[in-house]
Amino acid sequence: MGASGAKGLHMIRETSDRQLQLKDFIHPFGCDLNSENRWVKLAEVVPWDDLAVAYNSVMSATQGRPAKPARLVIGALIIKHKLNLSDEETVLQIQENPYLQFFCGLGAYVDAPPFVPSLFVEIRKRMGAEVFDAFEQAIVDRAVHIQKKRKPTRVSTSGGDGSPPSSCGDGSDQDRPAPVDAVDAQAEDVTHHGKLLMDATVADQMIRFPTDLGLLNEAREISESLIDELHKQTGGKKPRTYRQQARKVFLSISKRKKPGGKLIRKGIRQQLQYVRRNLGHIERMLDELMAEAGMPFPLGHKLQRQYWIIQHVYAQQKRMYETKSRRCDDRIVSISQPHVRPIVRGKAGRPVEFGAKVSVSMIGKLAFVDHLDWDAFNESQDLIAQVERYKARFGFYPEVVLADGIYGTRANRRWLKEHGIRFGGRPLGRPRKVTSENMDEIKQLKRQRREDERSRIPVEGKFGQGKNGYRLNQIRARLASTSEAWVRSIFLVMNLIALLRFLLPFLRPSAIMDACTTWLRGMLRLDDGVGDRLTGMHPRFADASTGW
């Protein structure tokens, strides 16, 4: 190959990956942690002491073994839902990351897990609605205290007079909305202030999509396992369950792409017969063990619970089959999670959702769970209670309540009118006739309604943030109490993030410098001579003569 052909070639220097040893790896742990790290900033926002008091309120001071520190537990819970991690992965991330250990309150880096992942289950069982209500109040108190005592940094450019930006303001900066609508601490006679947004959604549970045929097949399989367990204790000849035949019948229908209604009904009838036969065998075997042999109830807690659930599933499915109905009261849609109920919402593409229904009120940038129930309920019945909770949090009623039309019942409108609160919705009855005298008034009311509809968008966005960013629509806890704690933890994290975004300019030492930079850039656009004179004053303006 000639010299011309070798111009595009490069020398290869091969190194072996085996040469690098762990002791030779350069790590930054000998240096100071970065004060601008997101977890360091978030740690400055969280009211740890108030949260610790609320968490420790459910603990015993005299009984039981010593508990983990409250900051460690609460910090781990925030990390889990902020990063959408599993319990095991959360513990590993805290073990490997010094910033997360600092966030959880550890004094030094420790290469050991802070606790076993199963502790998360006990934490969720322990943290009920009262604890999370105290958490919410602590966040509200911190937000209101900051708005009253500290003045936000203004980063807006100057006006037409060319005056430099002020390093402090009165909190009315539109570029940085406040987390809550607070009032002046001196205004003790204020009775109405702020806006209250409210709406309801469903926190979908991670369960298999329920079908009547699939539930009966699962109940049949559980009944067969119960028969196997009881047969070990009774001995003798095992009752016939026809499990292979029943499985074959179920698969012949479930594997069809579009089975017809008659075929599905036939499969349900067959599975009901198999389950009925198996339940009869279980009853006889229990009578033999308990009545004749004098033994206590032979099934453990888990198997006894499954036995109770499949009996209810069989009774519900038999009733619906006989009456040719598609609904029943307290319908079980998951044997592993019998507390989950189908909730008809009528949403596009998802008419029925499976999970807990959550009624939420939103004040400023903070959202609070006011009502959580596994049964479907009419959210309009929560309006009065939510308004009263608003007054309990801030000491005054809201000026306006913004909600869906379902909240605008006559009783709710009457109550709001009696308390001097405006309802931001369409009035009841026929539209008013437009005349020359009331034309301007009607136009003003229409503009007000459009503004109210736009102002209600943030609560819908908060639901989208929770479901898309924090998996509010994929609740993975299995118990009712732990699932409720999971939902409330997501709203806790979203409120802390909203508080962090409001406080971020206070936590950055360069906030005032950034504001001055914005003002100077505006000045340099107006006067090139100023740009020439300021070039070289500061590295920020090194390219002022060329860029402006």
Side-chain angles (χ1 to χ4, degrees):
M1 181 180 295
S4 61
K7 289 182 179 180
L9 299 179
H10 299 274
M11 182 181 297
I12 299 176
R13 295 181 179 178
E14 184 176 356
T15 58
S16 175
D17 294 336
R18 299 180 181 177
Q19 295 178 2
L20 182 63
Q21 301 294 328
L22 183 60
K23 62 180 180 179
D24 300 326
F25 179 74
I26 301 175
H27 59 83
F29 293 157
C31 306
D32 295 334
L33 296 180
N34 183 12
S35 60
E36 298 294 325
N37 182 269
R38 57 174 178 166
W39 295 106
V40 177
K41 297 300 182 185
L42 185 59
E44 299 179 27
V45 171
V46 180
W48 294 109
D49 293 339
D50 296 334
L51 299 186
V53 171
Y55 176 76
N56 292 330
S57 63
V58 297
M59 311 286 285
S60 175
T62 58
Q63 298 180 351
R65 61 182 179 181
K68 294 292 182 180
R71 175 162 179 174
L72 174 61
V73 172
I74 299 172
L77 199 67
I78 294 174
I79 292 170
K80 169 184 170 57
H81 293 287
K82 176 66 176 66
L83 302 179
N84 293 326
L85 303 176
S86 63
D87 295 348
E88 294 80 5
E89 185 64 23
T90 302
V91 174
L92 291 176
Q93 289 290 338
I94 296 175
Q95 177 183 354
E96 299 166 356
N97 194 324
Y99 286 103
L100 298 184
Q101 293 190 10
F102 168 79
F103 180 77
C104 292
L106 300 183
Y109 177 78
V110 180
D111 188 16
F115 49 77
V116 294
S118 60
L119 181 61
F120 273 109
V121 180
E122 299 299 326
I123 293 171
R124 287 190 285 266
K125 288 181 180 179
R126 187 180 303 135
M127 299 174 68
E130 295 79 8
V131 175
F132 282 100
D133 289 342
F135 285 177
E136 293 175 353
Q137 189 60 43
I139 295 176
V140 169
D141 293 342
R142 176 145 173 81
V144 173
H145 175 75
I146 292 169
Q147 287 183 234
K148 290 180 178 180
K149 300 300 182 182
R150 304 184 66 173
K151 297 182 179 181
T153 301
R154 300 180 66 91
V155 297
S156 58
T157 57
S158 62
D161 56 353
S163 59
S166 173
S167 61
C168 60
D170 57 1
S172 59
D173 194 341
Q174 297 299 326
D175 296 333
R176 190 177 302 112
V180 294
D181 297 328
V183 295
D184 191 356
Q186 305 298 328
E188 299 180 356
D189 57 341
V190 173
T191 58
H192 295 77
H193 187 80
K195 296 180 181 179
L196 174 60
L197 284 66
M198 57 181 64
D199 204 347
T201 187
V202 174
D204 301 272
Q205 204 76 6
M206 284 291 292
I207 63 172
R208 181 177 57 194
F209 188 84
T211 60
D212 295 339
L213 187 61
L215 284 173
L216 285 172
N217 177 72
E218 186 178 357
R220 176 188 58 80
E221 293 177 346
I222 293 176
S223 65
E224 293 167 356
S225 65
L226 293 177
I227 291 175
D228 296 340
E229 179 65 25
L230 292 175
H231 175 67
K232 296 178 183 179
Q233 304 182 37
T234 58
K237 186 178 179 181
K238 181 186 293 187
R240 294 192 63 178
T241 58
Y242 302 94
R243 63 185 68 189
Q244 295 181 355
Q245 178 181 348
R247 177 69 176 171
K248 183 177 180 180
V249 171
F250 167 73
L251 292 178
S252 65
I253 300 176
S254 62
K255 286 187 175 181
R256 289 177 176 264
K257 187 175 182 179
K258 291 184 179 181
K262 292 184 178 180
L263 185 60
I264 293 177
R265 183 171 174 81
K266 178 182 177 182
I268 292 175
R269 176 176 56 81
Q270 292 173 328
Q271 295 298 323
L272 283 172
Q273 292 173 349
Y274 291 126
V275 174
R276 177 178 55 81
R277 182 185 294 110
N278 292 345
L279 290 178
H281 292 323
I282 294 174
E283 288 291 339
R284 286 192 294 271
M285 298 174 77
L286 289 175
D287 291 340
E288 179 181 349
L289 289 173
M290 298 178 65
E292 299 178 4
M295 293 178 57
F297 195 81
L299 297 178
H301 173 73
K302 181 179 178 180
L303 296 179
Q304 183 179 355
R305 180 174 179 270
Q306 290 181 339
Y307 178 49
W308 175 82
I309 293 173
I310 63 174
Q311 285 180 306
H312 280 72
V313 171
Y314 170 76
Q316 290 179 353
Q317 294 295 329
K318 181 181 178 183
R319 190 184 315 119
M320 289 190 294
Y321 176 82
E322 293 175 348
T323 59
K324 297 183 179 181
S325 174
R326 291 191 174 184
R327 69 166 308 277
C328 67
D329 296 334
D330 299 325
R331 183 174 182 179
I332 296 177
V333 295
S334 174
I335 294 179
S336 61
Q337 302 181 47
H339 54 275
V340 179
R341 297 286 181 266
I343 298 179
V344 180
R345 297 282 289 165
K347 301 293 184 180
R350 299 191 65 184
V352 182
E353 297 175 280
F354 306 95
K357 190 170 182 179
V358 185
S359 185
V360 176
S361 62
M362 188 170 179
I363 303 101
K365 298 296 180 181
L366 305 181
F368 308 102
V369 177
D370 292 328
H371 184 192
L372 189 151
D373 201 334
W374 294 99
D375 293 320
F377 60 87
N378 191 335
E379 54 265 33
S380 65
Q381 300 176 358
D382 295 334
L383 183 140
I384 297 177
Q386 289 177 288
V387 174
E388 292 293 348
R389 294 194 69 173
Y390 182 98
K391 183 180 181 182
R393 291 187 179 109
F394 301 102
F396 45 79
Y397 285 113
E399 293 177 341
V400 59
V401 171
L402 304 179
D404 280 335
I406 191 175
Y407 288 87
T409 62
R410 295 185 183 276
N412 288 340
R413 291 173 186 265
R414 188 184 309 111
W415 187 89
L416 292 175
K417 185 177 180 180
E418 292 174 355
H419 290 77
I421 305 172
R422 182 174 64 87
F423 179 75
R426 186 180 296 275
L428 299 178
R430 293 182 178 181
R432 296 172 58 184
K433 183 178 180 181
V434 180
T435 62
S436 58
E437 291 79 7
N438 63 4
M439 182 180 300
D440 295 338
E441 181 185 357
I442 292 178
K443 288 183 179 180
Q444 178 63 27
L445 292 176
K446 288 183 178 180
R447 284 193 297 267
Q448 183 66 55
R449 282 199 298 269
R450 286 195 297 268
E451 180 64 26
D452 292 341
E453 292 174 357
R454 286 193 293 265
S455 300
R456 206 181 59 83
I457 293 177
V459 67
E460 299 288 353
K462 185 63 68 172
F463 292 157
Q465 178 188 4
K467 294 187 177 182
N468 297 326
Y470 298 95
R471 296 182 181 177
L472 185 61
N473 58 344
Q474 296 179 0
I475 307 301
R476 299 177 181 271
R478 300 180 67 87
L479 301 179
S481 58
T482 56
S483 299
E484 294 171 7
W486 192 298
V487 173
R488 294 178 182 271
S489 298
I490 292 176
F491 280 92
L492 171 66
V493 172
M494 289 194 295
N495 288 338
L496 290 176
I497 297 303
L499 195 61
L500 174 64
R501 290 174 179 174
F502 173 70
L503 283 178
L504 194 59
F506 302 124
L507 303 178
R508 290 192 301 113
S510 60
I512 299 177
M513 187 62 192
D514 292 341
C516 296
T517 301
T518 304
W519 171 74
L520 285 175
R521 285 177 177 173
M523 291 294 296
L524 294 175
R525 293 191 187 97
L526 301 176
D527 188 354
D528 292 337
V530 176
D532 296 336
R533 291 191 297 272
L534 291 180
T535 302
M537 288 180 58
H538 194 276
R540 290 178 181 265
F541 313 113
D543 59 345
S545 59
T546 58
W548 297 323

